[in-house]
Amino acid sequence: MDEQALAILQRILRKLPSKKTQRTLRTWGCLSAEQLEDLDFTQPKWLILENLVSKCEENRLRLKDVTKLEMVYHMENPNQGTWHALKLAEAEDEAASVDFTQFKEMFVSHLEDAVQHVSVRMKKQDDGAVWIRTAFGDNLTRPNHLKPTYAVHYLQTPYVFILNLSAKHKPFLYQALVLSTRHSAINEAHLSGRSLTALRDLLMKQYQQVFPNQDRTLKERNAPPSHPNIDKEHVNIAERSHQMACEAFGDGALPKLESAVYKLKTRYRGSSEHTLADRDELFRGVVKFSSTNLLESLRHCVSNSMAEGPVTPLFSSITQQGRNYFVITEKVPEATSQTPACTT
């Protein structure tokens, strides 16, 4: 077993919780049932690693087998690192008919044409997600398996999610994705986070949305308990706040986003006597909202009247547009403009 394979094996074992190690190795499928039984998973990890390396060498496993284990680990633990969402654009007529076999053959072919040394491993899951592990090299060096790039694409959808992609290799991967999916372009979706599931659910609308015509049903299901001391007006306000919150962010469990970023390029808006109001130069800054579950926190604030309604488009656009990065600029470029706008 070479140095890269050993380093990858060590890294995976360090990250794996002890209670999940046996299950992950079983899913890997490169060790026999007897070999798995011989491993004592209650031992310290360094000792488990020694025994595991011994069995890998006994089975003459190579680097490609260890990269398969790494891929299993990432598929079982997708909330590692920061994922970035992309959206394919300008689909060709054949885009809807591309199946996994065609996609795999075209992707590998286009990438190998563009990069002399590259290693690609691909796996399709039951939910339609195609996981792609790519290790890049260059004209002089072999693929660096210690710094692989992961991509997840849902066939027959325009969405791709990327993890650990360097700027140097971005054009090659983007080109391979565009050509193999029969599209003409690929764009940043301005959505990122640690939870791959949350990004997918937000873009594909796989969460419980609430629309204005569902007002009566939602009120009946979430009506507050009656109490003789509660004023009817307060009850109505609470109902309206809850309705607005659910229409803006959804009902039930929400995609788990950790942050939303707003980059400001706006003019000063204050008292007309203030000298800053006459400046032509734009104010620039960045505002970041963070939470373990940002959408849930925002919904809670609105639903409990901690924030005034209706919900500002700056927040409702997170779910409506499926993004968490915004640039706030002036609607009109002239110096007299006083109305901010969200742009890409």
Side-chain angles (χ1 to χ4, degrees):
M1 184 176 292
D2 65 18
E3 291 183 3
Q4 282 199 69
L6 182 58
I8 294 171
L9 201 58
Q10 289 175 330
R11 184 167 60 189
I12 296 170
L13 204 59
R14 281 199 305 268
K15 292 180 179 179
L16 267 175
S18 298
K19 59 182 179 180
K20 291 185 177 181
T21 303
Q22 186 175 9
R23 185 187 69 184
T24 301
L25 293 178
R26 185 178 294 110
T27 304
W28 181 30
C30 289
L31 299 180
S32 66
E34 293 76 12
Q35 288 176 319
L36 285 174
E37 289 178 2
D38 287 343
L39 292 172
D40 184 359
F41 296 100
T42 62
Q43 293 179 326
K45 284 196 173 182
W46 66 268
L47 193 53
I48 298 176
L49 178 63
E50 282 188 2
N51 295 331
L52 183 58
V53 170
S54 175
K55 296 187 184 303
C56 289
E57 291 176 343
E58 179 184 330
N59 292 359
R60 297 183 179 180
L61 299 184
R62 296 182 293 173
L63 178 61
K64 67 175 185 178
D65 301 302
V66 178
T67 59
K68 178 183 176 183
L69 175 61
E70 185 197 70
M71 198 166 185
V72 169
Y73 167 76
H74 276 285
M75 288 190 292
E76 291 184 347
N77 303 273
N79 300 340
Q80 304 289 328
T82 300
W83 292 89
H84 297 270
L86 306 172
K87 188 173 183 180
L88 295 158
E90 302 174 27
E92 299 175 4
D93 295 338
E94 302 88 351
S97 61
V98 175
D99 60 20
F100 174 66
T101 302
Q102 293 172 320
F103 171 77
K104 182 177 181 179
E105 291 176 353
M106 289 189 291
F107 181 87
V108 174
S109 175
H110 290 308
L111 202 55
E112 288 180 344
D113 286 344
V115 184
Q116 185 170 347
H117 293 111
V118 64
S119 174
V120 180
R121 176 178 288 277
M122 203 173 293
K123 174 73 173 178
K124 182 182 178 183
Q125 291 190 301
D126 294 337
D127 63 355
V130 176
W131 280 72
I132 309 165
R133 181 191 189 274
T134 307
F136 289 96
D138 54 35
N139 293 336
L140 301 176
T141 60
R142 62 178 182 170
N144 184 358
H145 286 278
L146 296 177
K147 295 182 178 180
T149 294
Y150 276 88
V152 179
H153 172 53
Y154 288 81
L155 293 174
Q156 279 74 56
T157 79
Y159 302 113
V160 184
F161 305 92
I162 303 289
L163 176 70
N164 297 333
L165 177 60
S166 67
K168 176 182 178 181
H169 300 129
K170 185 181 293 186
F172 306 125
L173 187 68
Y174 282 13
Q175 182 186 46
L177 286 168
V178 167
L179 295 175
S180 59
T181 57
R182 300 294 189 182
H183 286 73
S184 299
I186 188 168
N187 303 310
E188 298 283 345
H190 302 289
L191 179 67
S192 62
R194 293 183 60 85
S195 175
L196 174 62
T197 304
L199 304 188
R200 178 203 64 193
D201 290 350
L202 193 59
L203 284 176
M204 298 186 184
K205 305 297 183 183
Q206 294 182 355
Y207 62 95
Q208 188 174 349
Q209 300 177 72
V210 174
F211 302 97
N213 60 2
Q214 294 178 316
D215 181 74
R216 179 179 299 177
T217 303
L218 187 64
K219 284 183 179 180
E220 291 173 354
R221 188 169 68 247
N222 299 288
S226 60
H227 191 284
N229 296 328
I230 297 179
D231 186 88
K232 187 177 186 301
E233 182 179 354
H234 291 171
V235 174
N236 292 337
I237 291 174
E239 288 180 348
R240 286 197 300 270
S241 297
H242 183 72
Q243 179 70 25
M244 285 188 295
C246 291
E247 288 177 5
F249 304 111
D251 195 20
L254 298 177
K256 192 175 181 181
L257 285 183
E258 301 89 7
S259 64
V261 177
Y262 299 85
K263 188 174 182 180
L264 307 178
K265 296 180 180 178
T266 57
R267 301 192 183 282
Y268 177 80
R269 289 175 177 79
S271 172
S272 58
E273 293 84 11
H274 204 293
T275 56
L276 293 177
D278 300 326
R279 294 179 57 177
D280 291 333
E281 184 180 352
L282 295 176
F283 279 86
R284 301 175 186 272
V286 176
V287 178
K288 182 177 181 180
F289 294 86
S290 299
S291 173
T292 54
N293 192 332
L294 181 63
L295 294 179
E296 182 64 48
S297 298
L298 292 173
R299 183 176 65 180
H300 177 79
C301 288
V302 176
S303 182
N304 290 276
S305 300
M306 297 168 64
E308 292 184 0
V311 178
T312 171
L314 295 177
F315 288 147
S316 61
S317 292
I318 298 175
T319 52
Q320 292 173 4
Q321 298 184 24
R323 55 190 293 186
N324 63 349
Y325 178 83
F326 302 89
V327 178
I328 313 302
T329 62
E330 303 292 324
K331 276 187 176 179
V332 183
E334 286 79 12
T336 57
S337 172
Q338 293 292 311
T339 307
C342 293
T343 66
T344 56

